[in-house]
């Protein structure tokens, strides 16, 4: 017969720490601690299998399992020398849930189970303190009422509060026996009222109801949402731990507390925590009494403190990680109730991982696995002071698109942003949405706030790219651009007013909250020496270890020499994506590109393109130089031409206003009408699917010719100057081999001419983005032309799903909230759909060209879960924004280690 | 050694009609005719292999092939009893190109080759008519100069014209010997001037130059474009036919002519053609002299006429198809120079195919293969009178999106269209583009003309759907909607002026050209009895034969009971697509859908949706009724909601105008501003990839609930009335099984309730469109939920290519013109990309659900080449517009026959 219940006591342990699947984290660790001689109150764990069986059999505990629970209960009675429900010497137990992964705040605990009207008096007699027994009983009714019987917690609290107020006391422990009796009586009346039944006096009924309640809690909407947000599977189930009660509320020699073996905020090695004398666990959490810092225990109970230190050190050595523990002291005796790996900040994670290696406790591989890659973000972005933040009005909440904190004065246009910045002001750019011609304003801002857009909208992508905090899709915002104000949360904010945005939480707050830049950034930018920052040293040590294990190369998406320098400082091994069009938006250059678009003859067009050549050549020269001989992938012109022109509706409004005003300037109107005609001709219903990418290059070959010329003139120049250069020219938006062949022919011709003229040697490659499903499907063909592939997973996700990243936010959020999808495919690669195309493309591409280099340069290139997939399908590199390079390096190492099953 | 040259004469034939690949159509048929005893001048064919070798070896004829040609030349000398270049008895030959498929006007002919200053006198002597010999010589220099030496044809013509003018004669044959000598001398001077060399006197040089010129002509841009437009491969090559000259210009007993064995315009069985006495081939084409109808030959040369009749009847019986032949008579002796299958109109094709079966000449299978499915279009659309058309000004040319001819007064808005129609006017709706809210105006129009959009733009699709002529993407059009006029071709056309549009050619003409509706349509609509139209009887006979062979079912895309009735009359076996949203655009209903979109609460939304229920129920009731128990596939709401609201820019202009006018109505402005806010919230950057399809149904489940209710209330009602109903509910834009599961749950719940309430039995299925790559990729999963798939190849093509059908026209045209792509994927299924996804989806879907029904309902469902593919991947049905049903029935039969290799 299958076993569903596992016993643990000092002498009889049926589980261990590796049985988390079956016993949950808490249960496995209680068993493990019992096994290695740590003082743990004995008890038993009802397994997650029992939970799943409970769910699948319509929320009932089978008779076999009931029987097994009772058998273990009697083992526990023997171990404790007490009897459950006994009049003389009653056994009391705690019931706690415990899933494989900790789900803080999701499940609840019931203490003092086994008390009823009879046993409460036995406990009173046995302990000699009736008030204590009554205190335990009222706690049981409260917790049981809340967790099992679904009576409102708040009503229990109101009763208690009223009685304390009447008694004129502040603390629970100041209530007398009489008061306690009154509390109990009113609690029971509440239960009677809420459920139509009395509080159960049968202790076995109490036990089975409590176990059922824990099992049921697995499927509450709250728990399902939590698992979705944390990417946890739904079919794990939770275990239930039934354990002998230890009383921290048994007078002044008793206490209860929690702690960490190291500081979870900064990682320093030092016992860290807090405790309460004469209290039970929930008192610490409830925050009614202020707990004492754990250091005080050394004075109050020096022997116990030493014992706690020894035990927690033993636990850390045993588990080889920072431990988050709970303990209870009853009458000067210490018991451990829980131990688990401690949650920590990014900063602490890095320090702990490095320290543990240097203390000889763990291997480098293990250290790499100990740090969540995304948590490195916390090391890079400026932060608010938490206490100051709490004093500011929260006016809205949007999508936390780019982490970090920023405060500034509100402006509404990119040009204003630039002007105000020049005046030395800090500003936050607020827009309905941003577009490439806002780049200069975005760059001038402390942070970005938009009313529309999803996690991969322009503002979000550029925000992360620039390492700037950004909140997008903040739907509560109503902009009035004319009046230069917005309203949100019932408040009106005008241009120039201060707001603060927390890109890590999505919160928009009123007023200025001070921020400080991350130390790591200061080192990378050369403002602090590396040796002056322990954090930086640990950070770079960990990443250099990661480099030793990873198989994927890591490159940066960088458009400017500045980006490239930062990427290089962060360890980028090349540039995986340079968006050449970003170079066109500069005010010096925009007139030429506009003139080119408006040109009526090819000659005029060529003329204006020619004027862009020197600018582009200089850009590429500096980019190549910054990358010091590492490969630089340059993408030819990608966006539709109308992005460089004014918006259609703005022109229409301007013309209509001029005409209706009665003081029309005919010539001006005529010009605007002509411009509008051109804009109309170029405007598209679905620009994402329009005349852009290689389609531009094919219809306007002179543009690609100019770009190729700029690239190879710059490269030849550098080679002459003695620097190694490795250009990789990447053609965007290919859907067929024929399109690439057309563009490649131009590039190869121009390159050949220039290299011959220069009389130097220069190796280069021509490849393509794979960002259209058809390019992936026909990869075998495309690889005949392409020397490399780079997955543009932003566009590939858009086209594979038929969802625009800018427009999808509204319904994707709905899908995620309603559990229709588990993940946002724009955040992490959709393995079943997009991933299938990628796998196919890699396989077919390498069948044609075995040495085909394949990378990824969409936003997924910086997403750790996507990086695991990239490693699995054997990409050569991932490319991400400069600020994501550390994340990618670490995630790549983890991916490689996971795949080899090393750790 | 490989053989490159094939001889043919009455006694020595090396080829036959099945060798078209190698000998070209003309060569194979010359050989075939020689073999069956038809009088054909002997000669030889240089093969297409020789052409390809010529191309691949840098445009040179190998020595081996030169040798082989000379060997065949000497065989020809023997057969003719003449010698090439001989002073006494010179052999003269014609040189003609001939590829596998006829490419009219693409390649040229050289006659009288072998003449030079010496042999021309021998010919004069031998024939006794020096003028004749000189006439032959001047023709040779002209043709050779043009075709081989690339001297301008026009200059030869000018010389001839000048000399005729001087001589005061009109016809070439009125020129005297002296005149001819002058022509020859001036021609030779022209050659000397144009090429720097004299006209070649070496007859072998003449021959090899002529062969080379024919081979080279295969790769002229003109020929490449022709092949692209006609979907012919580029690697076939052309053959060259060298043949003994027969002289139709040898006096009054000589003649030359062309003809058909049946009338190619209407198919009637009757010798049809024309001839010229005393002329060579090019005189017929040149049109200087008006040829006589072939009937006249019966009087002029009765014996020859009878012989021609016998021979052409023999040819038709032999080839089992209408023959297009060329003949020459020299001194009362008839020679056949060419025979091939005759091009014919759709009307003729149908009649000939049916007649040939009934004459016992061919099988039904063969008859089915004889008719180009697309040519059936010609039988359905109204037509212009050709002669009248020629008298009207052509002002622009666009894409021929929906065939047929229409004339009407120009209007610029859908509402105007409806109003003018009410006044009994015929109108042509001219728009920059159309959208679903123009439907009523489109329906009121004779034809549609748009300045933008491609072959699958809204106007094009709806035009074909409605069977209305449409020209789209007519870029020369510049609209001034305010002024209600457009300019094109330098002319300004105002509202109310008449234009005529030819949707078959894409031409826009000024003024009214009278049209007449197709007889077939009149029969289908019940205005003419079937037995009164021979055309209809033949048409339906052929299609009923086709039904006996096809494996694919044919269904219609139909949104209204009227559509359904026509589809049914055309033989639709069900409806494959009903777009329920088209039912919302009716003026009676639009207010409710608008109110629903603008609703601020779910209650208000439900209230307005509820008001649409009776309308939808009635629509479905009538649709089911019209389809008489055949399956009806109903697609749930698909388009984005903003399609039902005014356009953003129109609102902006209206508000700006109100404000700037100085006489602003505050309340009105306020309302507009509020509406604009809602429109802004709903407006999308890429609506094609936005909040539409199942994404709407998931976020607004009440809409789907209403639609399901309308469908099943209608169905239950009909079942009660004793009619069989087979509803198939189709959910659009699914990208994942989970989305379908969500929508299916709603539909199944509503259906279950209503069926139970009605107490009747009703079978229905729930399936999905496959129109997103991800749906195809995850088909195995999707099929767990879907009971059927229907490929929406419009959207699937858009997303697989990442190209919007509305925006792609500009660069797709460029691609096609420059040979980057061979086909427009929006016209015919892209087999390598989209087709690969379809194949995958069918396979994976049927692995999950072996009886999965799979169809197609995109525009490709009516494209014959796509239907071949659909047959190959084992779809169950194709669905197309009502007017394409005949095409699909025929194409499906051809697909099945081709695959079985029956014909």
């Amino acid at each position: 017969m299958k076993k569903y219940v596992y016993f643990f006591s000092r002498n009889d342990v049926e589980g261990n720490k590796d049985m988390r699947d079956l016993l949950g984290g808490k249960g496995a660790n209680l068993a493990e601690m019992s096994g290695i001689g740590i003082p743990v109150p004995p008890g038993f764990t009802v397994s997650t299998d029992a939970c799943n069986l409970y769910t699948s059999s319509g929320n009932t505990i089978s008779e076999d399992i009931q029987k097994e629970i009772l058998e273990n209960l009697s083992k526990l009675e023997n171990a404790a020398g007490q009897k459950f429900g006994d009049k003389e010497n009653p056994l009391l137990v705690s019931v706690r849930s415990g899933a494989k992964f900790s789900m803080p705040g999701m499940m609840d605990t019931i203490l003092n189970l086994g008390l009823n009207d009879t046993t409460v008096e036995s406990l009173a007699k046995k302990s000699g303190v009736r008030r204590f027994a009554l205190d335990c009983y009222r706690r049981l009714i409260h917790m049981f009422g809340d967790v099992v019987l679904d009576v409102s917690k708040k009503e229990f609290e109101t009763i208690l509060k009223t009685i304390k107020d009447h008694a004129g006391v502040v603390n629970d422990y100041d209530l007398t026996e009489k008061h306690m009796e009154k509390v109990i009586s009113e609690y029971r009346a509440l239960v009677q009222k809420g459920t139509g039944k009395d509080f159960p006096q049968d202790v076995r009924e109490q036990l089975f109801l409590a176990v059922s309640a824990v099992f049921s809690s697995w499927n509450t909407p709250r728990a399902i949402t939590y698992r979705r947000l944390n990417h946890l599977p739904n079919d794990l189930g939770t275990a239930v731990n039934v354990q002998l009660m230890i009383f921290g509320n048994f007078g002044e020699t008793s206490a209860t507390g929690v702690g960490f073996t190291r500081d979870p905020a900064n990682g320093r090695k030092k016992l860290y925590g807090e405790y309460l004398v004469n209290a039970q666990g929930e008192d610490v959490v409830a925050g009614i009494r202020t707990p004492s810092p754990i250091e005080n225990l050394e004075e109050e109970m020096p022997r116990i403190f030493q014992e706690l230190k020894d035990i927690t050190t033993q636990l850390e050595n045993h588990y080889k990680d920072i431990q988050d523990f709970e303990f209870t002291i009853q009458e000067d005796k210490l018991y451990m109730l829980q131990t688990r790996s401690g949650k920590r900040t990014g900063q602490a994670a890095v320090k702990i991982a490095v320290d543990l290696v240097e203390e000889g406790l763990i291997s480098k591989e293990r250290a790499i696995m100990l740090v969540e890659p995304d948590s490195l973000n916390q090391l890079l972005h400026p932060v608010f002071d938490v206490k100051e933040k709490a004093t500011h009005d929260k006016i809205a909440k949007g999508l936390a698109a780019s982490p970090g904190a920023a405060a500034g004065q509100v402006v509404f246009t990119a040009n204003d942003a630039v002007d105000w910045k020049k005046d030395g002001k800090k500003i936050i750019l607020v827009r309905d949405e941003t577009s490439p011609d806002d780049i200069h304003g975005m760059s001038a801002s402390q942070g970005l706030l938009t009313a529309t857009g999803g996690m991969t909208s322009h503002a979000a992508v550029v925000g992360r790219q620039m390492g700037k905090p950004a909140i997008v899709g903040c739907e509560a915002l109503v902009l009035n651009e004319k009046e230069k104000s917005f309203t949100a949360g019932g408040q009106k904010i005008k241009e120039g007013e201060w707001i603060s945005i927390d890109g890590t939480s999505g919160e928009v707050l009123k007023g200025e909250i001070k921020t400080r830049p991350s130390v790591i950034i200061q080192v990378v930018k050369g403002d602090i020496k590396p040796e002056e920052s322990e954090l930086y040293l640990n950070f770079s040590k960990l990443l250099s270890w990661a480099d030793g294990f990873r198989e994927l190369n890591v490159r940066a998406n960088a458009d400017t020499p500045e980006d490239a320098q930062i990427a290089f400082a962060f360890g980028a091994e090349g540039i995986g994506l340079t968006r050449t069009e970003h170079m066109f938006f500069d005010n010096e250059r925009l007139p030429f590109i506009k003139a080119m678009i408006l040109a009526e003859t090819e000659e005029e067009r060529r003329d204006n393109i020619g004027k862009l050549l020197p600018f582009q050549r200089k850009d590429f020269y500096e980019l190549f130089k910054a990358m010091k001989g590492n490969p630089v992938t340059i993408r030819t012109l990608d966006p539709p031409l109308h992005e460089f022109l004014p918006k259609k509706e703005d022109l229409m409004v301007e013309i209509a206003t001029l005409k209706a005003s009665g003081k029309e300037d005919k010539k001006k109107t005529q010009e605007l009408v002509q411009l509008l005609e051109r804009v109309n001709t170029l405007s598209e219903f679905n620009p994402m699917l329009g005349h852009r990418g290689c389609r531009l290059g094919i219809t306007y070959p002179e543009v690609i010719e100019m770009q190729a010329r700029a690239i190879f003139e710059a490269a030849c120049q550098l080679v002459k100057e003695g620097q190694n250069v490795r250009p990789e020219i990447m053609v965007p938006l290919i859907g067929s081999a024929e399109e690439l062949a057309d563009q490649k022919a131009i590039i190869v011709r121009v390159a050949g001419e220039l290299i011959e003229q220069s009389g130097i040697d220069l190796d280069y490659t021509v490849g393509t983005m794979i960002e259209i499903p058809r390019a992936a499907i026909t990869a075998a063909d495309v690889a005949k032309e392409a020397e490399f592939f780079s997955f543009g997973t932003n566009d590939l996700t858009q086209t594979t799903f038929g969802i625009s990243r800018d427009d999808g936010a509204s319904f994707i959020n709905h899908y995620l909230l309603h559990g229709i999808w588990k993940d946002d495919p724009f955040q992490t690669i959709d393995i079943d759909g997009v991933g299938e195309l990628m796998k196919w493309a890699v396989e077919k591409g390498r069948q044609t060209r075995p040495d085909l280099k394949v990378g990824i340069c969409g936003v997924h290139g910086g997403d750790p879960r996507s990086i695991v997939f990239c490693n699995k399908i054997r990409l050569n590199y991932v490319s991400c924004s400069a600020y994501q390079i550390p994340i990618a390096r670490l995630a790549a190492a983890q991916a490689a280690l996971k795949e080899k099953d090393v750790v």
Side-chain angles (χ1 to χ4, degrees), chain A:
Chain A
M1 220 182 67
K2 191 165 173 179
K3 183 175 170 68
Y4 287 100
V5 186
Y6 293 77
F7 195 74
F8 58 87
S9 73
R10 178 166 297 223
N11 305 314
D12 183 1
V13 186
E14 298 181 335
N16 64 51
K17 71 172 163 46
D18 301 323
M19 292 165 73
R20 294 162 55 96
D21 280 345
L22 198 61
L23 304 182
K26 188 192 288 271
N29 286 335
L30 286 171
E32 184 77 12
M33 286 197 287
S34 303
I36 62 170
I38 307 281
V40 169
F44 56 86
T45 305
V46 189
S47 74
T48 56
D49 279 355
C51 176
N52 290 331
L53 192 63
Y54 171 86
T55 306
S56 66
S57 54
N59 289 3
T60 54
I61 306 175
S62 76
E63 283 185 19
D64 284 345
I65 294 178
Q66 288 191 24
K67 212 175 126 208
E68 215 179 326
I69 289 173
L70 293 178
E71 283 163 11
N72 276 271
L73 186 65
S74 90
K75 273 172 86 172
L76 180 57
E77 289 173 333
N78 289 341
Q82 297 170 339
K83 264 189 100 62
F84 198 49
D86 192 55
K87 283 177 190 163
E88 301 302 318
N89 190 16
L91 172 74
L92 302 188
V93 296
S94 64
V95 175
R96 289 184 181 94
S97 67
K100 179 172 180 183
F101 301 103
S102 119
M103 296 168 65
M106 282 301 119
M107 311 251 179
D108 298 271
T109 294
I110 300 156
L111 302 180
N112 311 328
L113 196 131
L115 283 179
N116 57 21
D117 292 352
T118 311
T119 54
V120 70
E121 296 306 337
S122 322
L123 181 63
K125 212 159 118 194
K126 188 177 136 200
S127 66
V129 190
R130 187 156 182 272
R131 197 208 147 276
F132 155 72
L134 293 172
D135 184 43
C136 289
Y137 196 26
R138 67 100 188 166
R139 287 172 189 267
L140 169 63
I141 301 170
H142 181 159
M143 285 184 271
F144 196 92
D146 169 29
V147 176
V148 180
L149 303 176
D150 213 20
V151 178
S152 157
K153 208 171 180 163
K154 208 166 176 77
E155 296 191 48
F156 287 108
E157 282 159 8
T158 309
I159 289 169
L160 188 62
K161 180 84 176 19
T162 312
I163 291 173
K164 281 200 291 188
D165 288 352
H166 273 276
V169 303
V170 174
N171 293 313
D172 299 357
Y173 56 74
D174 290 327
L175 291 173
T176 61
E177 265 184 56
K178 279 279 169 243
H179 293 133
M180 287 295 181
E181 279 170 358
K182 191 165 162 55
V183 171
I184 289 167
S185 133
E186 293 198 14
Y187 274 9
R188 289 180 61 176
L190 175 62
V191 167
Q192 177 74 44
K193 194 182 113 211
T195 66
K197 276 189 272 183
D198 197 3
F199 172 77
Q201 293 293 316
D202 178 342
V203 296
R204 294 196 175 184
E205 192 188 342
Q206 285 177 12
L207 179 62
F208 286 122
L209 283 173
V211 171
S212 296
V214 171
F215 283 163
S216 293
S217 73
W218 179 256
N219 282 312
T220 58
R222 194 170 59 142
I224 292 170
T225 304
Y226 179 89
R227 288 194 293 272
R228 189 180 48 69
L229 291 175
N230 290 276
H231 314 297
L232 298 175
N234 271 322
D235 57 358
L236 294 174
T238 182
V240 183
N241 298 290
V242 179
Q243 205 175 0
L244 177 67
M245 270 307 301
I246 302 296
F247 299 99
N249 57 340
F250 199 68
E252 293 305 309
T253 56
S254 299
T256 189
V258 297
F260 287 86
T261 54
R262 301 179 188 230
D263 186 330
N266 58 33
R268 236 160 259 145
K269 189 175 180 181
K270 159 172 182 293
L271 209 56
Y272 177 95
E274 49 195 21
Y275 71 103
L276 271 177
V277 170
N278 195 12
Q280 277 199 334
E282 76 273 23
D283 297 336
V284 181
V285 183
I288 300 163
R289 286 160 61 193
T290 308
S292 314
I294 207 144
E295 293 86 338
N296 294 9
L297 192 65
E298 193 163 10
E299 268 178 50
E300 255 186 289
M301 304 179 184
R303 190 184 49 77
I304 295 283
F305 180 76
Q306 190 54 49
E307 198 185 341
L308 183 65
K309 248 186 122 168
D310 293 348
I311 285 173
T312 55
T313 304
Q314 184 189 352
L315 284 173
E316 199 184 77
N317 290 347
H318 185 74
Y319 282 102
K320 301 178 192 306
D321 193 8
I322 175 182
Q323 292 300 296
D324 166 0
F325 55 83
E326 293 176 18
F327 62 95
T328 293
I329 303 162
Q330 184 181 340
E331 297 174 275
D332 267 335
K333 188 161 165 28
L334 174 68
Y335 296 89
M336 300 305 291
L337 297 184
Q338 157 117 314
T339 196
R340 60 182 176 190
S341 287
K343 304 244 178 220
R344 66 214 85 172
T345 65
Q347 182 172 354
V350 169
K351 178 168 168 56
I352 290 167
V354 170
D355 284 354
L356 289 177
V357 172
E358 299 194 334
E359 289 164 24
L361 262 179
I362 61 171
S363 66
K364 289 174 183 169
E365 288 91 329
R366 175 90 192 118
I368 287 163
M369 298 309 288
L370 275 184
V371 181
E372 268 293 331
D374 274 335
S375 74
L376 294 182
N377 249 330
Q378 298 168 27
L379 279 67
L380 304 184
H381 294 286
V383 281
F384 285 135
D385 184 278
V386 178
K387 280 185 193 148
E388 210 203 309
K389 184 175 161 188
T391 67
H392 286 254
D393 263 13
K394 192 179 126 185
I395 53 177
K397 190 163 183 186
L399 299 174
S402 178
Q409 290 172 274
V410 169
V411 298
F412 293 92
T413 72
N415 288 335
D416 287 346
V418 173
D419 293 346
W420 289 50
K421 170 90 185 289
K422 272 189 198 145
D423 297 343
K425 287 178 181 156
K426 283 186 168 183
I427 48 105
I428 304 281
L429 180 60
V430 182
R431 307 274 297 154
D432 259 328
E433 96 248 11
T434 63
S435 73
D437 48 58
D438 292 325
I439 292 270
H440 57 302
M442 296 166 85
S443 169
S445 308
Q446 298 299 310
L448 313 170
L449 172 60
T450 68
T452 64
M455 290 298 285
T456 52
S457 63
H458 184 263
V461 171
V462 173
R464 287 195 292 271
Q465 173 90 3
M466 292 181 168
K468 278 189 202 297
I471 298 175
V472 301
C474 189
E475 294 180 1
L477 246 60
V478 180
L479 265 76
N480 187 331
E481 291 193 16
K482 200 153 220 170
E483 202 189 279
K484 296 207 173 175
S485 72
F486 71 82
T487 56
Q491 306 214 32
K492 186 171 198 167
I493 307 285
K494 290 183 191 153
E495 185 181 51
E497 286 192 57
W498 281 84
I499 61 168
S500 299
I501 62 172
D502 186 339
T504 314
S505 68
E507 291 161 296
V508 182
L509 303 105
K510 213 176 160 177
E512 180 185 9
I513 311 176
K514 290 266 165 10
T515 64
R516 51 186 172 78
S518 146
V519 167
I520 302 263
I521 297 293
Q522 293 183 53
V523 174
V524 165
K525 292 201 167 170
D527 299 336
I528 299 183
K529 284 186 196 144
E531 56 274 23
E532 287 173 9
S533 163
E534 189 205 347
L535 181 60
Y536 180 80
L537 293 177
N538 283 332
F539 171 81
S540 72
K541 195 175 283 172
L542 184 76
L543 290 177
S544 75
W545 294 343
D547 292 347
F549 297 108
R550 67 184 159 88
E551 288 156 1
L552 285 164
N553 283 324
V554 174
R555 296 192 183 186
N557 301 344
D559 304 336
T560 63
E562 297 76 47
D563 280 357
Q565 275 153 10
I566 291 174
F568 195 71
F570 269 134
E573 294 161 300
I575 291 181
L577 173 64
T578 299
R579 303 174 189 85
T580 51
E581 60 272 15
H582 281 188
M583 304 172 172
F584 288 155
F585 282 105
D586 193 284
N587 280 336
E588 256 184 313
R589 311 172 182 189
L590 207 51
F592 300 123
I593 184 101
K594 279 188 180 161
M596 173 218 132
I597 297 167
L598 297 173
E600 296 193 354
T601 63
E602 191 187 317
E603 208 185 328
E604 205 184 322
R605 190 158 60 232
R606 280 191 178 273
D607 190 41
N608 282 294
I609 292 172
K611 290 181 184 147
L612 291 169
L613 176 67
F615 293 112
Q616 288 248 298
R617 185 173 51 219
K618 184 161 170 282
D619 293 329
F620 295 135
Y621 179 88
E622 286 171 7
L623 212 55
F624 288 141
K625 195 151 192 169
M627 288 314 290
K628 304 189 168 70
N630 285 295
V632 176
T633 309
I634 296 170
R635 182 176 71 183
T636 51
L637 189 66
D638 187 51
L641 295 181
H642 49 73
E643 282 201 7
F644 299 97
L645 297 180
K647 279 189 193 159
K648 177 178 170 175
E649 55 263 36
D650 293 343
L651 282 172
M652 287 173 74
V653 166
E654 202 176 338
I655 294 168
T657 305
L658 271 174
K659 285 192 171 167
S661 69
K663 40 189 175 187
E664 186 187 351
D665 170 350
K666 291 270 182 206
K667 196 169 152 238
K668 168 87 178 158
T669 313
Q670 193 51 34
E671 271 174 33
L672 286 172
V673 168
Q674 269 173 11
L675 182 57
L676 177 61
E677 268 171 23
R678 186 68 185 141
V679 169
N680 270 337
T681 309
L682 288 174
S683 86
E684 299 185 305
F685 302 109
N686 296 283
M688 187 63 61
L689 306 178
H691 196 174
R692 53 179 281 248
C694 68
R695 301 158 191 173
L696 278 179
I698 292 171
T699 46
Y700 298 106
E702 52 276 13
V703 176
I704 297 314
E705 218 178 288
M706 180 278 282
Q707 294 201 304
R709 186 165 292 279
I711 293 167
F712 286 99
E713 285 182 357
C716 290
Q717 178 62 30
L718 272 166
V719 172
K720 278 188 192 161
E721 291 170 14
Q723 198 195 293
N724 193 9
V725 185
R726 291 168 60 193
E728 302 178 336
I729 322 299
M730 180 158 75
V731 180
L733 223 69
I734 288 293
S736 60
E738 292 77 12
E739 293 168 282
L740 179 55
D742 176 283
Q743 297 285 280
K744 189 180 174 184
I746 297 174
I747 295 162
V748 167
R749 174 173 56 72
V750 172
E753 286 168 17
L754 291 172
I755 293 172
E756 205 188 301
Q757 277 172 27
S758 306
I760 47 121
D761 273 343
L762 175 62
D763 280 341
Y764 68 94
T765 52
V766 179
T768 185
M769 301 276 289
I770 301 287
E771 52 186 338
I772 296 282
R774 196 180 188 281
I777 297 165
T778 62
D781 236 30
V782 175
K784 287 180 195 155
E785 298 291 338
E787 291 165 284
F788 63 88
F789 284 176
S790 180
F791 288 107
T793 46
N794 301 358
D795 270 19
L796 191 58
T797 301
Q798 293 193 89
T799 43
T800 303
F801 276 87
I803 294 177
S804 148
R805 63 181 187 184
D806 292 317
D807 304 315
S810 60
F811 58 86
I812 292 178
N813 286 343
H814 181 101
Y815 280 19
L816 296 174
L817 277 173
H818 291 75
I820 293 173
W821 287 351
K822 287 213 188 65
D823 290 302
D824 181 345
F826 292 108
Q827 285 187 6
T828 196
I829 286 175
D830 155 50
I831 291 175
D832 296 338
V834 176
E836 197 67 30
L837 282 177
M838 292 172 69
K839 226 170 77 187
W840 173 277
V842 172
E843 278 172 24
K844 296 291 169 180
R846 291 207 177 122
Q847 275 171 23
T848 299
R849 190 185 287 264
D851 63 345
L852 184 77
K853 189 154 65 173
V854 188
I856 176 174
C857 64
V859 286
H860 302 93
D863 168 59
R865 286 192 291 155
S866 303
I867 291 171
V868 170
F869 179 71
C870 293
N871 192 67
K872 199 164 161 187
I873 62 169
R874 299 282 165 266
L875 298 200
N876 299 83
Y877 67 86
V878 298
S879 187
C880 53
S881 76
Y883 295 91
Q884 287 175 316
I885 298 277
I887 295 175
R889 285 164 71 191
L890 183 59
Q894 291 188 352
L897 291 171
K898 267 182 210 157
E899 212 172 288
K900 289 192 186 134
D901 217 4
V902 179
V903 281

